[in-house]
């Protein structure tokens, strides 16, 4: 976990931010980033965000969705931005049984949010980064399985829901997770490799603690 050399004041950084990402304030960087609602309406992050947990780790949709009601009750928005087009996003959410998805799940076909945050990407980080097996090893040491119950649920249905990204290079894009309080960045996680994402329950607890401290 890193706190120094950050363009976002005293925000906590984790994962593997690039040199450029370390100099950025994520909240300011994505303020005007354009992306789409699932109904095809164009929007931007300034319109969507208040106090929020924002993630681009869309493989974790079900884990975050299970705690969305708790976040909303505390005045915290959940915002998930995925690579893809509105129609594929709608189909995926219907496939997973996610209700009211248009309220908190968005799509970024042009990669605008990912690029503005300078999230990691490339064949090396997707397939050959040692951070992936190390992540699985840490899960085993904590007594967790290699896959969450939600991931098992997704994989069990995946034969009916396989989606290709709009651009071929987006298949090698890593994600990230962020907590914002107004215009302030509280926490920023940059996925180093496949599966090396922030833990959803820890993100939610930090967001709830941050909201309660206001």
């Amino acid at each position: 976990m890193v706190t120094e050399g950050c363009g976002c004041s005293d925000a906590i950084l984790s994962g593997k931010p690039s040199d450029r990402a370390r100099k950025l304030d994520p909240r300011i960087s994505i303020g005007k980033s354009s992306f789409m609602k699932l109904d095809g309406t164009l929007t931007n992050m300034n319109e969507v965000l208040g106090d929020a947990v924002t993630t681009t780790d869309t493989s974790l949709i079900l884990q975050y969705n299970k705690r969305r009601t708790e976040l909303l009750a505390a005045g915290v928005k959940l915002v998930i931005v995925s690579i893809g087009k509105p129609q594929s996003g709608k189909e995926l959410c219907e496939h997973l049984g996610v209700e009211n998805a248009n309220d908190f799940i968005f799509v970024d076909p042009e990669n605008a949010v990912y690029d503005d945050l300078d999230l990691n990407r490339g064949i090396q980080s997707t397939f050959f980064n040692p951070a992936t097996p190390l992540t699985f090893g840490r899960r085993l040491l904590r007594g967790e399985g290699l896959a969450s119950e939600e991931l098992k649920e997704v994989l069990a249905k995946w034969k009916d829901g396989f989606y290709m990204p709009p651009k071929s290079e987006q298949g090698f894009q890593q994600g990230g997770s962020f907590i914002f309080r107004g215009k302030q960045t509280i926490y920023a996680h940059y996925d180093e490799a496949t599966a090396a994402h922030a833990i959803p329950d820890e993100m939610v607890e930090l967001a709830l603690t941050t909201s309660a401290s206001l």
Side-chain angles (χ1 to χ4, degrees):
M1 195 167 285
V2 182
T3 56
E4 70 275 13
C6 174
C8 39
S9 185
D10 56 354
I12 297 172
L13 299 186
S14 69
K16 188 179 181 182
S18 67
D19 289 342
R20 176 174 176 266
R22 288 173 182 269
K23 298 174 183 178
L24 298 175
D25 184 320
R27 179 62 182 86
I28 294 174
S29 297
I30 62 173
K32 296 182 179 179
S33 300
S34 293
F35 48 95
M36 304 177 82
K37 298 181 180 180
L38 297 184
D39 62 11
T41 305
L42 197 65
T43 187
N44 65 62
M45 202 62 83
N46 280 340
E47 292 179 355
V48 171
L49 290 181
D51 293 338
V53 176
T54 301
T55 182
T56 60
D57 286 320
T58 50
S59 62
L60 307 175
I61 287 175
L62 293 182
Q63 287 178 264
Y64 279 108
N65 186 47
K66 285 186 175 180
R67 301 197 65 179
R68 181 169 175 258
T69 300
E70 189 178 354
L71 287 168
L72 290 175
V76 180
K77 292 181 180 179
L78 172 64
V79 178
I80 297 177
V81 182
S82 172
I83 289 171
K85 297 181 179 180
Q87 185 58 37
S88 60
K90 287 174 62 177
E91 291 174 0
L92 176 63
C93 291
E94 290 170 1
H95 176 71
L96 296 177
V98 177
E99 298 180 355
N100 302 314
N102 197 59
D103 294 340
F104 69 101
I105 296 178
F106 304 85
V107 290
D108 183 13
E110 298 303 321
N111 231 67
V113 174
Y114 291 74
D115 290 344
D116 288 344
L117 289 168
D118 203 44
L119 298 176
N120 296 308
R121 68 172 138 192
I123 294 176
Q124 176 68 30
S125 62
T126 303
F127 296 116
F128 304 112
N129 194 311
T132 297
L134 287 173
T135 296
F136 288 133
R138 284 193 292 269
R139 290 179 185 173
L140 291 174
L141 288 173
R142 291 197 299 262
E144 303 172 0
L146 293 180
S148 67
E149 291 304 314
E150 292 82 4
L151 180 57
K152 292 176 183 176
E153 184 179 343
V154 170
L155 293 175
K157 300 177 179 179
W158 208 248
K159 62 182 177 63
D160 300 317
F162 181 75
Y163 302 98
M164 295 294 293
K167 303 175 182 179
S168 59
E169 64 269 21
Q170 290 172 321
F172 307 113
Q173 177 73 63
Q174 299 301 318
S177 301
F178 305 84
I179 296 176
F180 303 121
R181 181 170 58 196
K183 297 290 186 180
Q184 181 184 6
T185 300
I186 302 298
Y187 180 88
H189 176 87
Y190 299 81
D191 294 3
E192 180 177 358
T194 301
H197 50 68
I199 299 173
D201 283 338
E202 291 182 359
M203 290 289 291
V204 170
E205 291 302 326
L206 179 56
L208 293 174
T209 299
T210 300
S211 178
S213 68
L214 293 177

